[in-house]
């Protein structure tokens, strides 16, 4: 089954938000395993996770997709017109960069 990009972003955001919750078992497992896997002190592992979860929210991921694509749906299939910024949208020159 194929999931739309917006749904994948939603799931990633929910998981990321769990890493931010001090009582969540995913965060606890990461903080338990990360020091050994990444050769970090427990304190540094916690600082790394805390620093990363700022951008692992549904809102931040959705904002990144919007900033890059305008519509996450462009990642779900072939787009007939130029949706990507910096590219011509007419059919004859779709593969030519705008100069």
């Amino acid at each position: 089954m194929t999931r739309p990009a917006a749904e994948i972003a939603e799931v990633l955001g929910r998981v990321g938000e769990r890493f931010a919750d001090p009582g969540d078992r995913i965060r606890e497992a990461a903080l338990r395993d990360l020091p050994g896997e990444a050769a970090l002190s427990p304190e540094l592992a916690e600082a790394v996770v805390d620093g990363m979860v700022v951008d692992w929210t549904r809102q931040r991921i959705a904002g990144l997709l919007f900033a890059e694509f305008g519509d996450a749906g462009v990642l779900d299939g072939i787009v007939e017109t130029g949706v990507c910024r910096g590219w011509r949208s007419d059919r004859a020159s779709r593969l030519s960069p705008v100069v």
Side-chain angles (χ1 to χ4, degrees), residues 7 16 21 31 53 57 59-60 65 82 86 88 91 96 98:
E7 184 180 331
D21 179 356
L31 294 177
V53 299
T57 65
Q59 183 177 2
R60 296 286 286 213
L65 286 172
R88 292 184 181 141
R91 288 183 142 239
S96 302
V98 173

Side-chain angles (χ1 to χ4, degrees), residues 14 16 34 37 42 51 57 64 67 71 74 86 94-95 97 99:
R14 285 196 317 253
L34 190 57
E37 294 291 327
T57 65
L64 177 62
D71 176 4
V74 302
R94 251 187 308 199
L95 299 178
V99 289

Side-chain angles (χ1 to χ4, degrees), residues 18-19 21-33:
R18 291 184 65 185
F19 276 95
D21 179 356
D24 193 282
R25 63 188 166 100
I26 289 178
R27 179 186 172 90
E28 291 172 354
L31 294 177
R32 179 189 64 238
D33 297 341

Side-chain angles (χ1 to χ4, degrees), residues 12-98:
L12 290 172
R14 285 196 317 253
V15 171
E17 290 166 5
R18 291 184 65 185
F19 276 95
D21 179 356
D24 193 282
R25 63 188 166 100
I26 289 178
R27 179 186 172 90
E28 291 172 354
L31 294 177
R32 179 189 64 238
D33 297 341
L34 190 57
E37 294 291 327
L40 302 173
S41 69
E43 296 80 13
L44 184 54
E46 187 169 11
V48 167
V49 170
D50 287 343
M52 294 173 79
V53 299
V54 173
D55 290 321
W56 295 355
T57 65
R58 288 175 268 190
Q59 183 177 2
R60 296 286 286 213
I61 293 170
L64 177 62
L65 286 172
F66 180 79
E68 291 295 322
F69 303 106
D71 176 4
V74 302
L75 298 172
D76 297 332
I78 297 172
V79 177
E80 281 294 320
T81 59
V83 174
C84 296
R85 284 180 238 133
W87 292 85
R88 292 184 181 141
S89 62
D90 59 291
R91 288 183 142 239
S93 60
R94 251 187 308 199
L95 299 178
S96 302
V98 173

